[in-house]
């Protein structure tokens, strides 16, 4: 985040998904930079980092849903927003499998509502950053993923992110909307309360003296990107959205050190001195792509971005956050 060069003071910034993990940390960073942060909030979860930290008291809140166009338009127009970070989504693969309709409504309809409201109020909105995912690529014959690969999601969550990505590209190419797209691997950090995910679930299990659960066979390969590096990625993209080489483009963000699930669990165990608690391997992860990892060469070349956190440093901060959270 030290590489962010733009002046955010007094910018009016809308964050969708502000009560989520990335949205909460992005709001915290932007508040510190002097931005006027507007949050579109559907469920005001009191356990969200945005609420627990008190940061929500330093923002403007618009109550509404991504699925309702009037709510999204009101957040942009009435608050005279100049920058939009569209992070709001249904982000759980298993939930998407159980409820594809709800996932498509939130992730696809929600995205074109944000893009259309930004297009209609182009006199206000000067930059839009849309969060896609590495899942948008689907299963590819070669790894790492690079941005020139087609977006070929097949499972419901993957498809919702392929559509999110393509919609953003369409609004740039058809209407000149100043938008760019983030494609990140697995994001971790304090504030993620989806305990089915491997890092928060494992940390909580170790803190409770329990064996962690691995839903897969433990050999699936993923990128693991610390949330503060993702915040830096959001700002690096937004800072450069006046550059034609950035507008309409997708960017991969990755530490470029792919790991198996078992390697991540072992790293957490070392930091928490919990090596005696061996994981329970369920070998049951339907709808999951086996191996996924990204090249971040384009982000480095065009944005000057690279991950600032090692896995150990990011996990240490994350473990500290959960230690505080679970003891209160």
């Amino acid at each position: 985040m030290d590489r962010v060069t733009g002046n955010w003071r007094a910018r009016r910034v809308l964050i969708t998904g502000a009560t989520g993990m990335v949205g909460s940390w992005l709001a915290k960073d932007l508040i510190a930079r002097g931005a006027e942060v507007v949050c579109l909030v559907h469920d005001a979860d009191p356990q969200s980092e945005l609420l627990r930290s008190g940061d929500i008291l330093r923002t403007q809140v618009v109550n509404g849903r991504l699925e309702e166009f009037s709510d999204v338009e009101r957040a942009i127009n009435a608050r005279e927003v100049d920058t939009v970070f569209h992070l709001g989504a249904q982000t759980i693969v298993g939930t998407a499998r159980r409820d594809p309709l709800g996932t498509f409504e939130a992730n696809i309809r929600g995205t074109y509502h944000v893009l259309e409201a930004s297009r209609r109020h182009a006199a206000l909105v000067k930059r839009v950053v849309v969060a896609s995912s590495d899942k948008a690529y689907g299963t590819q014959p070669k790894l790492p993923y690079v941005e020139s690969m087609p977006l070929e999601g097949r499972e419901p969550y993957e498809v919702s992110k392929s559509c999110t990505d393509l919609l953003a590209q369409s609004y740039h190419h058809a209407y000149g909307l100043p938008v760019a797209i983030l494609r990140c691997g697995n994001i971790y950090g304090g504030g993620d309360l989806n305990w089915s995910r491997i890092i928060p679930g494992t940390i909580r299990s170790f803190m409770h003296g329990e064996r962690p659960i691995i839903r897969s066979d433990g050999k699936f390969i993923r990128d693991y990107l610390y949330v503060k590096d993702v915040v830096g990625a959001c700002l690096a993209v937004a800072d450069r959205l006046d550059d034609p080489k950035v507008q309409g483009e997708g960017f991969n963000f990755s530490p470029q050190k792919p790991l198996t699930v078992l390697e991540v669990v072992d790293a957490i165990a070392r930091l928490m001195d919990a090596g005696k608690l061996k994981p329970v391997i369920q070998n049951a992860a339907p709808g999951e792509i086996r191996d996924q990892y990204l090249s971040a060469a384009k982000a480095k070349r065009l944005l000057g971005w690279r991950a600032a956190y090692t896995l150990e440093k990011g996990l240490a901060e994350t473990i500290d956050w959960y230690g505080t959270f679970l003891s209160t």
Side-chain angles (χ1 to χ4, degrees):
M1 285 183 281
D2 292 338
R3 291 179 298 280
V4 176
T5 58
N7 180 9
W8 288 88
R9 186 166 300 281
R11 283 194 191 175
R12 300 178 72 86
V13 181
L14 172 65
I15 303 174
T16 72
T19 58
M21 174 176 55
V22 177
S24 294
W25 288 100
L26 178 60
K28 188 186 299 293
D29 188 89
L30 286 168
I31 291 166
R33 293 177 188 275
E36 298 179 20
V37 177
V38 179
C39 301
L40 180 66
V41 175
H42 179 208
D43 294 326
D45 184 352
Q47 293 188 322
S48 163
E49 176 64 15
L50 183 72
L51 276 70
R52 290 182 72 253
S53 66
D55 288 336
I56 195 168
L57 301 176
R58 292 179 283 278
T59 71
Q60 300 176 49
V61 176
V62 176
N63 293 306
R65 302 172 68 238
L66 286 169
E67 298 89 334
E68 294 292 338
F69 180 75
S70 60
D71 291 344
V72 177
E73 186 175 36
R74 176 167 55 91
I76 289 174
N77 187 36
R79 305 306 170 105
E80 297 185 318
V81 164
D82 60 66
T83 303
V84 177
F85 290 99
H86 176 42
L87 310 179
Q90 192 299 102
T91 61
I92 306 299
V93 172
T95 300
R97 260 205 150 209
R98 293 188 298 272
D99 181 19
L101 177 61
T103 299
F104 294 155
E105 287 288 302
N107 296 5
I108 299 174
R109 186 187 298 274
T111 295
Y112 66 67
H113 281 170
V114 169
L115 295 168
E116 176 62 14
S118 299
R119 184 192 71 83
R120 291 190 185 186
H121 298 285
L124 295 172
V125 179
K126 304 307 179 185
R127 59 197 70 83
V128 182
V129 178
V130 172
S132 179
S133 167
D134 59 351
K135 306 296 185 292
Y137 289 110
T139 301
Q140 297 287 342
K142 291 184 178 181
L143 291 172
Y145 294 139
V146 295
E147 289 87 348
S148 58
M149 289 179 174
L151 304 178
E152 295 183 334
R154 292 292 181 266
E155 286 284 330
Y157 180 71
E158 300 164 23
V159 168
S160 77
K161 285 303 183 178
S162 297
C163 290
T164 292
D165 211 302
L166 290 167
L167 284 164
Q169 293 179 52
S170 175
Y171 266 80
H172 171 70
H173 291 291
Y175 307 110
L177 190 71
V179 60
I181 303 128
L182 275 70
R183 301 172 189 154
C184 298
N186 284 18
I187 303 168
Y188 71 94
D192 185 358
L193 303 181
N194 291 304
W195 303 111
S196 63
R197 290 182 175 146
I198 192 63
I199 289 179
T202 297
I203 292 171
R204 185 176 69 167
S205 292
F206 285 156
M207 286 184 174
H208 290 167
E210 300 168 353
R211 297 169 66 190
I213 303 296
I214 295 178
R215 292 180 294 109
S216 68
D217 63 3
K219 298 177 182 178
F220 285 28
I221 297 174
R222 294 286 188 272
D223 284 320
Y224 292 89
L225 185 61
Y226 187 46
V227 65
K228 291 182 181 178
D229 278 327
V230 180
V231 170
C234 289
L235 298 179
V237 170
D239 271 348
R240 291 160 179 81
L241 263 171
D242 57 350
D243 184 345
K245 294 180 180 178
V246 173
Q247 294 181 9
E249 292 292 309
F251 292 89
N252 294 341
F253 294 94
S254 161
Q256 301 190 123
K257 293 183 178 179
L259 299 164
T260 67
V261 174
L262 280 168
E263 287 173 328
V264 172
V265 171
D266 286 346
I268 298 170
R270 287 194 300 272
L271 290 167
M272 298 183 69
D273 194 22
K276 293 181 180 180
L277 294 169
K278 301 302 180 185
V280 176
I281 298 175
Q282 296 182 330
N283 199 20
E288 293 270 12
I289 297 170
R290 185 167 186 87
D291 296 334
Q292 293 184 290
Y293 50 94
L294 299 153
S295 166
K298 181 178 176 182
K300 180 180 178 182
R301 185 177 74 253
L302 293 181
L303 306 175
W305 180 94
R306 68 176 68 186
Y309 284 79
T310 64
L311 180 72
E312 290 72 21
K313 183 179 179 182
L315 284 177
E317 289 193 6
T318 303
I319 291 165
D320 285 346
W321 188 94
Y322 284 108
T324 302
F325 176 80
L326 292 171
S327 64
T328 56

